[in-house]
Amino acid sequence: MTITNEPSPGSPGLARAEACANIALAKYWGKSARGGNLTAVPSLSMTLDALRTRTEVSFSGSLGEDELSLNGVAASPQEAARVITLLDRVRTSAKISERARVTSLNNFPTAAGLASSASGFAALAVAASYAAGLRSSCGELSSLARQSSASAGRSVYGGFVELLAESDQASSVPSTRLNELVMLVLVTSAEKKPMGSTLGMNHTSETSPVYGTWLEQAPLLFGEAKAGLLTGDFNRLANAMEDSTRLMHATMMTARPPLIYLRPATIELMHEVSLRREQGYPEAYTMDAGPNVKLLTRASHLPNALAHYEAFLGVERVIVCRPGPGAARLSPEGELMDASRTQELS
Ligand code: DP6
């Protein structure tokens, strides 16, 4: 088969794409009863420039089945099932039947306990769509990625992004007031999650007695976080982000049996960040379904925060992330193809 990076519709080929991970400033935890992997609560995120996934997809008539390599190893049956579901959606839209070879690489260690499903499914959505000859809009790519992993719907866009409750697509939140925000990933643990997000949130919604409170409060905290971002009020954003984090973890922790993602180093860091914010430093913490703390700060405070947390007991590594670009297609050599689109999205 001739491999081309410019497949015409109906003529499948090869494409590569890159997407960044994102961190939720206002958290999503819980699926809507309407199904379709729609979220029960709205979420707000920052796309992280330093954490990236590159994915290549090639459709070929000579393949008997989809072949998937994630970070140099064959995908597990569970991972493969999620990837194949996305590929099947693309095949249906493009009216093709060819199987695909998918190779995906993260520039950050999966073992560091950092979520890779957001960048992974966003990059896969873009690469698979182009390889199949589709010319999808950003909204369509966000919908495709979101159906596989809701946070991936946000990674299609750069900068700051919202995914409203029960919304099919994420959208960009243009923010110029706080565009000097920096997120430090404080890697304290390489432990694997006790339970994946999808299972974890279904278990939480079924068994936590405070899940109803989470559903009630999460939209208010989302509103506060967004208002803080749009008005340039760091403390308002910081308070809403921390409230959203603690309430999400309280809901997880009160599931039966409990989901406790936080470790001693996480708790030490929560105390430290609170203390330093009381002393006037622009610092705030957030954690996802894992023990690593992500520290939100301002670029002007970066040297101080970096020096302090690199030396903090239990912190193995600090990754500095600034607002990153939206998912984009790459040339075969790895150059960004759609720079205009990337800028438009970031
Ligand atoms: C705690 O997007 O990984 O990071 O839709 O089931 O794939 P699925 O879940 P996922 O959940 C992310 C949960 C979170 C908070 C967030 O990113 O909003």
Side-chain angles (χ1 to χ4, degrees), residues 2-15:
T2 314
I3 292 181
T4 161
N5 202 44
E6 284 295 335
S8 54
S11 150
L14 177 149

Side-chain angles (χ1 to χ4, degrees), residues 255-266:
R256 297 177 177 128
L259 290 175
I260 306 179
Y261 293 101
L262 312 183
R263 306 294 299 167
T266 321

Side-chain angles (χ1 to χ4, degrees), residues 22-31 37 39 42-45 82 115 117-118 121 145-154 193 196-199 201 248-249 252 287-290:
N22 70 75
I23 179 84
L25 308 174
K27 306 294 183 185
Y28 137 64
W29 193 254
K31 314 278 184 195
N37 205 37
T39 66
S43 57
L44 175 70
S45 63
R82 286 179 88 185
S117 72
F121 281 106
R146 182 205 56 74
Q147 290 174 67
S148 293
S149 182
S151 56
R154 301 187 310 234
K193 291 187 203 179
S197 297
T198 305
L199 279 177
M201 58 182 84
M248 180 183 76
H249 280 277
M252 296 161 157
M287 292 80 64
D288 289 317

Side-chain angles (χ1 to χ4, degrees), residues 21-25 27 46-48 51 108-110 112-116 118 154 182-189 191 193 197 234 237-238 241-242 245 248-249 252 261-262 265-267 269-270 273-274 277 282-297 305 309 315 317-321:
N22 70 75
I23 179 84
L25 308 174
K27 306 294 183 185
M46 172 174 155
T47 302
L48 305 176
L51 307 178
F108 53 98
T110 308
L114 302 166
S116 58
R154 301 187 310 234
V182 183
M183 191 70 80
L184 302 186
V185 182
L186 310 180
V187 181
T188 51
S189 165
E191 277 176 57
K193 291 187 203 179
S197 297
F234 182 89
L237 170 61
M241 183 180 80
E242 290 189 349
T245 302
M248 180 183 76
H249 280 277
M252 296 161 157
Y261 293 101
L262 312 183
T266 321
I267 307 291
L269 282 163
M270 288 169 73
V273 174
S274 300
R277 197 144 95 256
E283 295 182 1
Y285 59 76
T286 184
M287 292 80 64
D288 289 317
N292 293 316
V293 172
K294 284 91 174 183
L295 184 93
L296 183 71
T297 187
Y309 290 101
V315 175
R317 187 179 165 203
V318 179
I319 305 172
V320 179
C321 303

Side-chain angles (χ1 to χ4, degrees), residues 1 10-12 59-63 66 91 95-100:
M1 185 186 109
S11 150
F59 287 100
S60 164
S62 63
L63 294 171
D66 293 317
R91 280 188 279 255
K95 300 187 175 57
I96 60 169
S97 58
E98 283 83 349
R99 302 294 104 182

Side-chain angles (χ1 to χ4, degrees), residues 82-95:
R82 286 179 88 185
V83 171
I84 292 169
T85 302
L86 188 149
L87 293 173
D88 284 341
R89 288 196 175 104
V90 169
R91 280 188 279 255
T92 304
S93 302
K95 300 187 175 57

